[in-house]
mmCIF file of all heavy atoms in Angstrom:
data_model
loop_
_atom_site.group_PDB
_atom_site.id
_atom_site.type_symbol
_atom_site.label_atom_id
_atom_site.label_comp_id
_atom_site.label_asym_id
_atom_site.label_seq_id
_atom_site.Cartn_x
_atom_site.Cartn_y
_atom_site.Cartn_z
ATOM 1 N N ALA A 309 9.333 -0.571 31.992
ATOM 2 C CA ALA A 309 9.278 -0.162 30.555
ATOM 3 C C ALA A 309 10.464 0.688 30.270
ATOM 4 O O ALA A 309 11.147 1.293 30.980
ATOM 5 C CB ALA A 309 8.012 0.659 30.099
ATOM 6 N N ARG A 310 10.897 0.711 28.870
ATOM 7 C CA ARG A 310 11.751 1.629 28.372
ATOM 8 C C ARG A 310 10.930 2.956 28.122
ATOM 9 O O ARG A 310 9.981 2.746 27.503
ATOM 10 C CB ARG A 310 12.332 1.213 27.013
ATOM 11 C CG ARG A 310 13.964 1.379 27.024
ATOM 12 C CD ARG A 310 14.349 0.774 25.624
ATOM 13 N NE ARG A 310 14.467 1.880 24.779
ATOM 14 C CZ ARG A 310 14.333 1.854 23.453
ATOM 15 N NH1 ARG A 310 14.012 0.628 22.937
ATOM 16 N NH2 ARG A 310 14.419 2.828 22.663
ATOM 17 N N PHE A 311 11.433 4.101 28.471
ATOM 18 C CA PHE A 311 10.610 5.272 28.257
ATOM 19 C C PHE A 311 11.240 6.250 27.206
ATOM 20 O O PHE A 311 12.465 6.330 27.046
ATOM 21 C CB PHE A 311 10.683 6.158 29.633
ATOM 22 C CG PHE A 311 9.725 5.481 30.647
ATOM 23 C CD1 PHE A 311 10.296 4.466 31.472
ATOM 24 C CD2 PHE A 311 8.421 5.976 30.895
ATOM 25 C CE1 PHE A 311 9.540 3.988 32.507
ATOM 26 C CE2 PHE A 311 7.701 5.412 31.844
ATOM 27 C CZ PHE A 311 8.167 4.349 32.703
ATOM 28 N N LEU A 312 10.345 6.863 26.493
ATOM 29 C CA LEU A 312 10.707 7.992 25.681
ATOM 30 C C LEU A 312 9.805 9.106 26.264
ATOM 31 O O LEU A 312 8.577 9.057 26.182
ATOM 32 C CB LEU A 312 10.418 7.729 24.178
ATOM 33 C CG LEU A 312 10.537 8.946 23.295
ATOM 34 C CD1 LEU A 312 12.053 9.380 23.262
ATOM 35 C CD2 LEU A 312 10.146 8.708 21.896
ATOM 36 N N VAL A 313 10.348 10.207 26.575
ATOM 37 C CA VAL A 313 9.751 11.406 27.061
ATOM 38 C C VAL A 313 10.070 12.485 26.021
ATOM 39 O O VAL A 313 11.091 12.774 25.822
ATOM 40 C CB VAL A 313 10.116 11.958 28.486
ATOM 41 C CG1 VAL A 313 9.446 13.093 28.871
ATOM 42 C CG2 VAL A 313 9.890 10.675 29.463
ATOM 43 N N VAL A 314 8.964 13.088 25.508
ATOM 44 C CA VAL A 314 9.138 14.207 24.543
ATOM 45 C C VAL A 314 8.470 15.416 24.900
ATOM 46 O O VAL A 314 7.244 15.319 25.436
ATOM 47 C CB VAL A 314 8.622 13.771 23.173
ATOM 48 C CG1 VAL A 314 8.876 14.820 22.116
ATOM 49 C CG2 VAL A 314 9.188 12.420 22.710
ATOM 50 N N ALA A 315 9.080 16.513 24.862
ATOM 51 C CA ALA A 315 8.488 17.902 25.133
ATOM 52 C C ALA A 315 8.688 18.813 23.998
ATOM 53 O O ALA A 315 9.478 18.551 23.088
ATOM 54 C CB ALA A 315 9.036 18.387 26.429
ATOM 55 N N PHE A 316 7.916 19.893 24.045
ATOM 56 C CA PHE A 316 7.969 20.761 22.845
ATOM 57 C C PHE A 316 8.340 22.169 23.451
ATOM 58 O O PHE A 316 7.683 22.566 24.438
ATOM 59 C CB PHE A 316 6.620 20.849 22.014
ATOM 60 C CG PHE A 316 6.466 19.432 21.501
ATOM 61 C CD1 PHE A 316 5.681 18.500 22.141
ATOM 62 C CD2 PHE A 316 6.924 19.170 20.212
ATOM 63 C CE1 PHE A 316 5.401 17.254 21.587
ATOM 64 C CE2 PHE A 316 6.698 17.958 19.628
ATOM 65 C CZ PHE A 316 5.992 16.917 20.389
ATOM 66 N N SER A 317 9.204 22.855 22.762
ATOM 67 C CA SER A 317 9.837 24.024 23.304
ATOM 68 C C SER A 317 8.834 25.120 23.712
ATOM 69 O O SER A 317 8.924 25.843 24.783
ATOM 70 C CB SER A 317 10.883 24.731 22.456
ATOM 71 O OG SER A 317 10.320 25.028 21.205
ATOM 72 N N SER A 318 7.840 25.393 22.877
ATOM 73 C CA SER A 318 6.829 26.440 23.111
ATOM 74 C C SER A 318 5.586 26.046 23.874
ATOM 75 O O SER A 318 4.586 26.696 23.922
ATOM 76 C CB SER A 318 6.442 27.161 21.760
ATOM 77 O OG SER A 318 5.831 26.092 21.000
ATOM 78 N N ASP A 319 5.602 24.773 24.356
ATOM 79 C CA ASP A 319 4.376 24.228 25.039
ATOM 80 C C ASP A 319 4.477 24.871 26.468
ATOM 81 O O ASP A 319 5.305 24.577 27.244
ATOM 82 C CB ASP A 319 4.486 22.754 25.246
ATOM 83 C CG ASP A 319 3.289 22.057 25.927
ATOM 84 O OD1 ASP A 319 2.482 22.757 26.511
ATOM 85 O OD2 ASP A 319 3.196 20.920 25.836
ATOM 86 N N TRP A 320 3.521 25.681 26.819
ATOM 87 C CA TRP A 320 3.432 26.310 28.185
ATOM 88 C C TRP A 320 2.395 25.760 29.008
ATOM 89 O O TRP A 320 2.328 25.934 30.260
ATOM 90 C CB TRP A 320 3.341 27.923 28.099
ATOM 91 C CG TRP A 320 2.161 28.362 27.291
ATOM 92 C CD1 TRP A 320 1.787 28.439 26.029
ATOM 93 C CD2 TRP A 320 0.841 28.774 27.960
ATOM 94 N NE1 TRP A 320 0.631 28.975 25.743
ATOM 95 C CE2 TRP A 320 0.036 29.038 26.850
ATOM 96 C CE3 TRP A 320 0.368 28.801 29.193
ATOM 97 C CZ2 TRP A 320 -1.340 29.472 27.045
ATOM 98 C CZ3 TRP A 320 -0.931 29.222 29.402
ATOM 99 C CH2 TRP A 320 -1.757 29.555 28.322
ATOM 100 N N ARG A 321 1.502 24.883 28.423
ATOM 101 C CA ARG A 321 0.529 24.238 29.196
ATOM 102 C C ARG A 321 1.251 23.100 30.003
ATOM 103 O O ARG A 321 1.163 23.034 31.249
ATOM 104 C CB ARG A 321 -0.441 23.555 28.224
ATOM 105 C CG ARG A 321 -1.631 22.832 29.010
ATOM 106 C CD ARG A 321 -2.626 22.262 27.868
ATOM 107 N NE ARG A 321 -3.611 21.427 28.528
ATOM 108 C CZ ARG A 321 -4.893 21.813 28.876
ATOM 109 N NH1 ARG A 321 -5.120 23.124 28.786
ATOM 110 N NH2 ARG A 321 -5.796 21.056 29.416
ATOM 111 N N PHE A 322 2.018 22.190 29.307
ATOM 112 C CA PHE A 322 2.800 21.200 29.940
ATOM 113 C C PHE A 322 4.190 21.487 29.377
ATOM 114 O O PHE A 322 4.667 20.806 28.481
ATOM 115 C CB PHE A 322 2.502 19.787 29.698
ATOM 116 C CG PHE A 322 1.011 19.531 30.267
ATOM 117 C CD1 PHE A 322 0.234 18.657 29.615
ATOM 118 C CD2 PHE A 322 0.573 20.153 31.533
ATOM 119 C CE1 PHE A 322 -1.143 18.385 30.115
ATOM 120 C CE2 PHE A 322 -0.670 19.845 32.092
ATOM 121 C CZ PHE A 322 -1.527 19.034 31.306
ATOM 122 N N SER A 323 4.903 22.354 30.005
ATOM 123 C CA SER A 323 6.253 22.833 29.494
ATOM 124 C C SER A 323 7.426 21.703 29.595
ATOM 125 O O SER A 323 7.197 20.767 30.276
ATOM 126 C CB SER A 323 6.694 24.155 30.325
ATOM 127 O OG SER A 323 7.150 23.672 31.504
ATOM 128 N N PRO A 324 8.389 21.848 28.769
ATOM 129 C CA PRO A 324 9.456 20.883 28.912
ATOM 130 C C PRO A 324 10.036 20.745 30.229
ATOM 131 O O PRO A 324 10.349 19.640 30.714
ATOM 132 C CB PRO A 324 10.636 21.546 27.971
ATOM 133 C CG PRO A 324 9.790 22.449 27.008
ATOM 134 C CD PRO A 324 8.643 22.947 27.767
ATOM 135 N N LYS A 325 9.897 21.747 31.102
ATOM 136 C CA LYS A 325 10.341 21.555 32.522
ATOM 137 C C LYS A 325 9.524 20.527 33.221
ATOM 138 O O LYS A 325 10.043 19.716 34.102
ATOM 139 C CB LYS A 325 10.099 22.905 33.275
ATOM 140 C CG LYS A 325 11.400 23.565 33.763
ATOM 141 C CD LYS A 325 11.067 24.979 34.268
ATOM 142 C CE LYS A 325 10.382 25.014 35.600
ATOM 143 N NZ LYS A 325 10.079 26.489 36.032
ATOM 144 N N ARG A 326 8.287 20.381 32.869
ATOM 145 C CA ARG A 326 7.355 19.370 33.427
ATOM 146 C C ARG A 326 7.734 17.989 33.085
ATOM 147 O O ARG A 326 7.805 17.004 33.794
ATOM 148 C CB ARG A 326 5.890 19.682 33.146
ATOM 149 C CG ARG A 326 5.356 21.062 33.465
ATOM 150 C CD ARG A 326 5.628 21.502 34.926
ATOM 151 N NE ARG A 326 5.314 20.603 35.842
ATOM 152 C CZ ARG A 326 4.079 20.362 36.408
ATOM 153 N NH1 ARG A 326 3.070 20.943 35.911
ATOM 154 N NH2 ARG A 326 3.944 19.425 37.300
ATOM 155 N N SER A 327 8.096 17.895 31.786
ATOM 156 C CA SER A 327 8.637 16.603 31.317
ATOM 157 C C SER A 327 9.871 16.199 31.959
ATOM 158 O O SER A 327 10.189 15.013 32.277
ATOM 159 C CB SER A 327 8.884 16.564 29.780
ATOM 160 O OG SER A 327 7.599 16.653 29.155
ATOM 161 N N ARG A 328 10.741 17.224 32.236
ATOM 162 C CA ARG A 328 12.048 16.921 32.868
ATOM 163 C C ARG A 328 11.790 16.351 34.363
ATOM 164 O O ARG A 328 12.559 15.635 34.790
ATOM 165 C CB ARG A 328 12.918 18.209 32.841
ATOM 166 C CG ARG A 328 13.733 18.471 31.735
ATOM 167 C CD ARG A 328 14.442 17.376 31.183
ATOM 168 N NE ARG A 328 15.607 16.941 31.920
ATOM 169 C CZ ARG A 328 16.866 17.220 31.789
ATOM 170 N NH1 ARG A 328 17.166 18.052 30.779
ATOM 171 N NH2 ARG A 328 17.816 16.857 32.601
ATOM 172 N N GLU A 329 10.688 16.824 34.890
ATOM 173 C CA GLU A 329 10.441 16.216 36.197
ATOM 174 C C GLU A 329 10.232 14.706 36.136
ATOM 175 O O GLU A 329 10.717 13.866 37.037
ATOM 176 C CB GLU A 329 9.106 16.828 36.855
ATOM 177 C CG GLU A 329 9.188 18.248 37.181
ATOM 178 C CD GLU A 329 7.904 18.902 37.635
ATOM 179 O OE1 GLU A 329 7.078 18.206 38.210
ATOM 180 O OE2 GLU A 329 7.707 20.161 37.389
ATOM 181 N N ILE A 330 9.494 14.273 35.044
ATOM 182 C CA ILE A 330 9.287 12.884 34.906
ATOM 183 C C ILE A 330 10.655 12.138 34.630
ATOM 184 O O ILE A 330 11.039 11.095 35.220
ATOM 185 C CB ILE A 330 8.367 12.637 33.652
ATOM 186 C CG1 ILE A 330 7.096 13.206 33.996
ATOM 187 C CG2 ILE A 330 8.312 11.120 33.390
ATOM 188 C CD1 ILE A 330 6.094 13.209 32.746
ATOM 189 N N VAL A 331 11.486 12.884 33.774
ATOM 190 C CA VAL A 331 12.848 12.307 33.434
ATOM 191 C C VAL A 331 13.689 12.175 34.694
ATOM 192 O O VAL A 331 14.393 11.137 34.942
ATOM 193 C CB VAL A 331 13.479 13.071 32.337
ATOM 194 C CG1 VAL A 331 14.958 12.640 32.161
ATOM 195 C CG2 VAL A 331 12.734 13.109 31.066
ATOM 196 N N ARG A 332 13.620 13.190 35.395
ATOM 197 C CA ARG A 332 14.599 13.158 36.627
ATOM 198 C C ARG A 332 14.168 12.006 37.592
ATOM 199 O O ARG A 332 15.002 11.287 38.138
ATOM 200 C CB ARG A 332 14.414 14.498 37.333
ATOM 201 C CG ARG A 332 15.361 14.695 38.488
ATOM 202 C CD ARG A 332 15.269 16.169 39.140
ATOM 203 N NE ARG A 332 15.226 17.153 38.048
ATOM 204 C CZ ARG A 332 14.132 18.079 38.019
ATOM 205 N NH1 ARG A 332 13.222 18.095 38.882
ATOM 206 N NH2 ARG A 332 14.280 18.972 36.977
ATOM 207 N N ALA A 333 12.816 11.903 37.754
ATOM 208 C CA ALA A 333 12.419 10.749 38.594
ATOM 209 C C ALA A 333 12.678 9.411 38.020
ATOM 210 O O ALA A 333 13.267 8.519 38.825
ATOM 211 C CB ALA A 333 10.829 10.875 38.842
ATOM 212 N N LEU A 334 12.632 9.199 36.739
ATOM 213 C CA LEU A 334 13.034 7.932 36.111
ATOM 214 C C LEU A 334 14.510 7.744 36.336
ATOM 215 O O LEU A 334 14.911 6.652 36.634
ATOM 216 C CB LEU A 334 12.690 7.849 34.594
ATOM 217 C CG LEU A 334 11.110 7.891 34.392
ATOM 218 C CD1 LEU A 334 10.915 8.197 32.912
ATOM 219 C CD2 LEU A 334 10.611 6.502 34.760
ATOM 220 N N LEU A 335 15.350 8.704 36.115
ATOM 221 C CA LEU A 335 16.742 8.649 36.260
ATOM 222 C C LEU A 335 17.188 8.296 37.714
ATOM 223 O O LEU A 335 18.090 7.507 38.025
ATOM 224 C CB LEU A 335 17.441 9.884 35.859
ATOM 225 C CG LEU A 335 17.519 10.195 34.240
ATOM 226 C CD1 LEU A 335 18.070 11.586 34.135
ATOM 227 C CD2 LEU A 335 18.348 9.124 33.571
ATOM 228 N N ALA A 336 16.472 8.909 38.556
ATOM 229 C CA ALA A 336 16.699 8.575 40.038
ATOM 230 C C ALA A 336 16.594 7.102 40.408
ATOM 231 O O ALA A 336 17.229 6.573 41.236
ATOM 232 C CB ALA A 336 15.858 9.389 40.970
ATOM 233 N N ARG A 337 15.731 6.436 39.682
ATOM 234 C CA ARG A 337 15.529 5.000 39.879
ATOM 235 C C ARG A 337 16.172 4.169 38.785
ATOM 236 O O ARG A 337 15.935 2.932 38.581
ATOM 237 C CB ARG A 337 14.033 4.640 39.875
ATOM 238 C CG ARG A 337 13.301 5.275 40.975
ATOM 239 C CD ARG A 337 13.671 4.495 42.362
ATOM 240 N NE ARG A 337 13.277 5.237 43.512
ATOM 241 C CZ ARG A 337 12.907 4.734 44.780
ATOM 242 N NH1 ARG A 337 13.053 3.403 44.870
ATOM 243 N NH2 ARG A 337 12.673 5.504 45.769
ATOM 244 N N LYS A 338 17.074 4.813 38.030
ATOM 245 C CA LYS A 338 17.898 4.180 37.016
ATOM 246 C C LYS A 338 16.972 3.536 35.876
ATOM 247 O O LYS A 338 17.332 2.290 35.441
ATOM 248 C CB LYS A 338 18.923 3.072 37.629
ATOM 249 C CG LYS A 338 19.858 3.903 38.617
ATOM 250 C CD LYS A 338 20.886 3.048 38.972
ATOM 251 C CE LYS A 338 21.918 3.775 39.883
ATOM 252 N NZ LYS A 338 23.070 3.142 40.379
ATOM 253 N N LYS A 339 15.889 3.972 35.586
ATOM 254 C CA LYS A 339 15.010 3.448 34.574
ATOM 255 C C LYS A 339 15.648 3.819 33.329
ATOM 256 O O LYS A 339 16.283 4.889 33.191
ATOM 257 C CB LYS A 339 13.680 4.002 34.734
ATOM 258 C CG LYS A 339 12.939 3.809 36.001
ATOM 259 C CD LYS A 339 12.703 2.489 36.376
ATOM 260 C CE LYS A 339 12.107 2.352 37.774
ATOM 261 N NZ LYS A 339 11.988 0.900 38.235
ATOM 262 N N ARG A 340 15.307 3.059 32.320
ATOM 263 C CA ARG A 340 15.854 3.379 30.983
ATOM 264 C C ARG A 340 14.951 4.426 30.240
ATOM 265 O O ARG A 340 13.736 4.234 30.105
ATOM 266 C CB ARG A 340 15.840 2.112 30.098
ATOM 267 C CG ARG A 340 16.782 1.077 30.675
ATOM 268 C CD ARG A 340 16.510 -0.289 30.006
ATOM 269 N NE ARG A 340 15.230 -0.748 30.176
ATOM 270 C CZ ARG A 340 14.543 -1.589 29.401
ATOM 271 N NH1 ARG A 340 15.154 -2.102 28.384
ATOM 272 N NH2 ARG A 340 13.289 -1.993 29.635
ATOM 273 N N VAL A 341 15.496 5.577 29.947
ATOM 274 C CA VAL A 341 14.799 6.729 29.521
ATOM 275 C C VAL A 341 15.406 7.464 28.463
ATOM 276 O O VAL A 341 16.742 7.739 28.653
ATOM 277 C CB VAL A 341 14.181 7.548 30.594
ATOM 278 C CG1 VAL A 341 15.345 8.045 31.491
ATOM 279 C CG2 VAL A 341 13.448 8.725 30.123
#
Side-chain angles (χ1 to χ4, degrees):
Chain A
R310 229 181 96 211
F311 286 84
L312 174 66
V313 179
V314 181
F316 299 90
S317 58
S318 60
D319 183 351
W320 57 278
R321 184 181 173 91
F322 299 142
S323 73
K325 244 169 74 187
R326 309 305 315 280
S327 285
R328 280 307 293 259
E329 291 174 32
I330 299 170
V331 172
R332 190 176 311 128
L334 289 167
L335 286 174
R337 293 285 163 155
K338 302 192 178 177
K339 306 295 181 191
R340 295 167 303 155
V341 55

